[in-house]
Amino acid sequence: MVVVLAWSERAACGQGDADALFAEGTRQHDAATLCTRCPVRTECLAHALDQRIEFGVWGGMTERERRALLRRRPDVASWRRLLETARAEHTHPARGRAPLPRREACPQAGPAHQDMGRTATSV
């Protein structure tokens, strides 16, 4: 029995050779470039993390990268919930959060310091 996940039908890898995502070694990073333009990258990565899938590139992350992430964050019960929340906050930063305070440039600082102030408010 094959289970098709709703998001997987929209995956960029569905248009090409999905076996390429199960490359070994450094070729995994080449395979991960396919994920950069995928509309369901978040869903794919969350699925792989929640299901503890060991092999292949999922959501742009290699096997090693996913293992390292799982070790760093053993407390995460649902990667799907965490990643969807993070994506929503990134897409709509004003929802549910107060705006970041505006930093003023220091008059004594040089241009590099002033640029840092602009970068901090735009992130």
Side-chain angles (χ1 to χ4, degrees):
M1 180 169 112
V2 175
V3 176
V4 177
L5 302 168
W7 57 263
S8 67
E9 294 176 349
R10 299 188 331 266
C13 61
Q15 313 306 319
D17 181 17
D19 289 337
L21 296 173
F22 292 90
E24 294 182 6
T26 58
R27 292 184 315 161
Q28 287 183 342
H29 292 287
D30 296 334
T33 60
L34 176 64
C35 302
T36 58
R37 60 180 170 80
C38 185
V40 293
R41 182 178 181 176
T42 302
E43 293 87 343
C44 180
L45 177 58
H47 174 73
L49 292 167
D50 283 338
Q51 300 302 313
R52 303 299 195 262
I53 298 175
E54 295 183 27
F55 303 104
V57 173
W58 290 79
M61 291 187 84
T62 66
E63 301 161 4
R64 180 177 285 178
E65 291 168 335
R66 288 194 314 277
R67 280 193 304 270
L69 181 57
L70 288 168
R71 276 193 307 275
R72 281 194 310 270
R73 298 289 308 269
D75 58 317
V76 176
S78 171
W79 284 96
R80 182 177 185 125
R81 190 173 327 129
L82 178 77
L83 293 175
E84 286 177 349
T85 300
R87 180 176 55 188
E89 288 177 359
H90 177 73
T91 305
H92 306 287
R95 288 186 185 170
R97 295 191 304 176
L100 293 172
R102 178 135 173 87
R103 287 190 175 178
E104 298 300 323
C106 177
Q108 297 93 351
H113 181 72
Q114 291 171 355
D115 286 342
M116 288 175 51
R118 281 194 293 274
T119 303
T121 59
S122 63
V123 175

